[in-house]
Amino acid sequence: MSMIDLTLTCLTVRYPDGPITDDAPAGLLPNGNFEEGPPKSALVNGTVVRGANAIPSWETSGFVEYIESGHKQGDMLLVVPQGAHAVRLGNEASIRQRLAVTRGSYYAITFSAARTCAQAETLNVSVSPEWGVLPMQTIYGSNGWDSYAWAFKAKLDAVTLVIHNPGVEEDPACGPLIDGVAIRALYPPTLVRGNMLKNGGFEEGPYFLPNASWGVLVPPNIEDDHSPLPGWMIVSSKAVKYVDAAHFKVPQGTRAVELVGGRESALVQEVRTVPGWSYRLAFAAGDAGDGCAGSMVAEAFAARATVKVPYESKGSGGYKRAVLDFTAIANRTRVVFQSTFYHMKADGTLCGPLVDDASVVGLRKRPAAGRRLLL
């Protein structure tokens, strides 16, 4: 099985405009789109990189190829949707770049990846001693590329980002393509008056790569404080998609989440509650305007209460608002969003209902537990 392994250890780097810190703008890493290529003398057979420092701003090891969009491999045509170049990591190959960060701050790495020959690839992401797994078996982008996000808390002032493919394929040129590596400092949200949920509007999250119209996948099994969507966990087996208003229809603000994995894609946040007290969950549910048409149902759960929000999508955007009243049964209550059904666009890629503008508030009067309202 072919995999990509991201490991952050400690070294340092100077950026052209200074180090990336909490006060610096987010964006691509130096040569993060690989448009600055190695000299022709450092390429064997036209693509294989020779020399650890041949690609500007990156250090390589193992079988690394520098791929130009349109490169043919047998009957397969390799497409690079952003710019004209990407790198391919063969067996036991890696690329790395040293980053200056701010100790104690949170960051999200965004990058794009595509499978080539291998079909069962997995992305292993780690910031020692933490790590996560990003499966690539499911392709969400219609062009074969997906953008992924993964977050970490900086333990030191300098780290090294390593993208490593430890897989062993019969053909070393069957590894994944990597492009558009970027970073963004995250600002862990605090509670605001009138909402017991943190980041209920999803405005805080990972960086969107320039001209990437397919959103950013937040991987499954994100359960700790280092979520790329601060305040939220993804506790199921499939990713959720983080979308922006520049490329999708968003009910409120500039960001939202699309539930693209049916019941295998759950968005969760725990809120502090008092057993026996009553609360109201409110949110918007609709479609992202990305061609995902059909009869959708977004589900929300809290304590013993649940609500199903039917939405007939034409794939062109739109939403309705829903309310769920519940009575807490514990000191912490999980608020969960899921899609009842699986949905697929005409091009065969997964999609689903959109969730945005979520809030939980306490009620002065105690209604019947599980009261459901659709507005």
Side-chain angles (χ1 to χ4, degrees):
M1 182 180 293
S2 180
M3 295 191 279
I4 305 172
D5 182 35
L6 279 80
T7 305
L8 298 176
T9 54
C10 30
L11 289 171
T12 188
V13 71
R14 293 291 181 184
Y15 290 87
D17 299 318
I20 291 181
T21 68
D22 288 347
D23 297 323
L28 290 169
L29 298 182
N31 199 24
N33 55 8
F34 303 101
E35 292 306 297
E36 295 180 60
K40 290 185 178 180
S41 60
L43 294 176
V44 179
N45 296 327
T47 62
V48 181
V49 178
R50 179 177 60 186
N53 302 111
I55 300 178
S57 301
W58 294 93
E59 181 182 346
T60 65
S61 64
F63 188 90
V64 176
E65 292 184 277
Y66 187 69
I67 301 296
E68 185 173 1
S69 186
H71 176 76
K72 293 195 66 175
Q73 180 176 351
D75 296 331
M76 182 171 53
L77 185 69
L78 302 183
V79 176
V80 179
Q82 294 179 282
H85 299 90
V87 295
R88 176 160 54 184
L89 305 182
N91 294 336
E92 293 293 347
S94 66
I95 56 173
R96 67 181 62 204
Q97 186 173 140
R98 295 178 293 178
L99 313 175
V101 290
T102 302
R103 185 187 310 223
S105 294
Y106 294 87
Y107 296 87
I109 298 290
T110 302
F111 64 96
S112 292
R115 294 195 320 228
T116 53
C117 319
Q119 297 299 308
E121 296 178 348
T122 301
L123 310 176
N124 288 343
V125 184
S126 64
V127 179
S128 182
E130 295 134 7
W131 61 280
V133 178
L134 298 91
M136 287 184 70
Q137 286 88 345
T138 302
I139 301 298
Y140 297 87
S142 59
N143 60 7
W145 284 81
D146 284 311
S147 295
Y148 298 85
W150 199 78
F152 67 95
K153 182 179 180 180
K155 300 295 178 66
L156 298 163
D157 291 326
V159 298
T160 296
L161 169 65
V162 180
I163 304 178
H164 175 227
N165 173 23
V168 179
E169 295 287 336
E170 183 176 346
D171 183 355
C174 275
L177 294 171
I178 305 294
D179 194 21
V181 187
I183 192 170
R184 182 178 186 270
L186 295 176
Y187 298 88
T190 57
L191 293 174
V192 296
R193 187 169 184 173
N195 192 355
M196 297 169 62
L197 287 173
K198 297 180 179 179
N199 199 19
F202 306 104
E203 294 302 301
E204 184 64 22
Y207 180 73
F208 286 93
L209 295 168
N211 303 318
S213 59
W214 50 81
V216 178
L217 296 176
V218 181
N221 302 315
I222 297 296
E223 298 190 29
D224 55 27
D225 294 334
H226 306 163
S227 171
L229 282 177
W232 294 94
M233 303 179 286
I234 294 83
V235 297
S236 48
S237 60
K238 291 195 180 296
V240 300
K241 182 180 287 188
Y242 191 48
V243 300
D244 63 333
H247 302 97
F248 299 85
K249 299 293 186 181
V250 175
Q252 179 75 27
T254 60
R255 306 285 190 267
V257 172
E258 186 179 4
L259 303 174
V260 293
R263 287 188 174 274
E264 294 181 86
S265 183
L267 186 66
V268 180
Q269 184 171 154
E270 287 189 348
V271 295
R272 293 181 180 273
T273 51
V274 178
W277 287 26
S278 297
Y279 300 88
R280 172 166 292 174
L281 167 66
F283 61 98
D287 77 275
D290 57 357
C292 190
S295 299
M296 297 180 175
V297 178
E299 297 183 28
F301 307 86
R304 295 193 177 99
T306 182
V307 63
K308 293 186 176 182
V309 186
Y311 181 82
E312 196 65 32
S313 172
K314 296 181 180 179
S316 56
Y319 65 94
K320 64 168 59 174
R321 295 194 175 273
V323 167
L324 173 64
D325 290 341
F326 65 93
T327 300
I329 57 177
N331 293 326
R332 287 183 175 273
T333 298
R334 280 197 164 192
V335 174
V336 182
F337 293 106
Q338 283 183 312
S339 172
T340 302
F341 306 115
Y342 292 91
H343 298 276
M344 192 174 290
K345 293 187 285 187
D347 59 14
T349 56
L350 291 176
C351 59
L354 199 73
V355 173
D356 195 13
D357 197 24
S359 65
V360 171
V361 297
L363 296 176
R364 293 183 178 179
K365 295 182 180 180
R366 177 176 175 175
R371 179 184 172 202
R372 306 160 184 83
L373 299 173
L374 298 182
L375 304 182

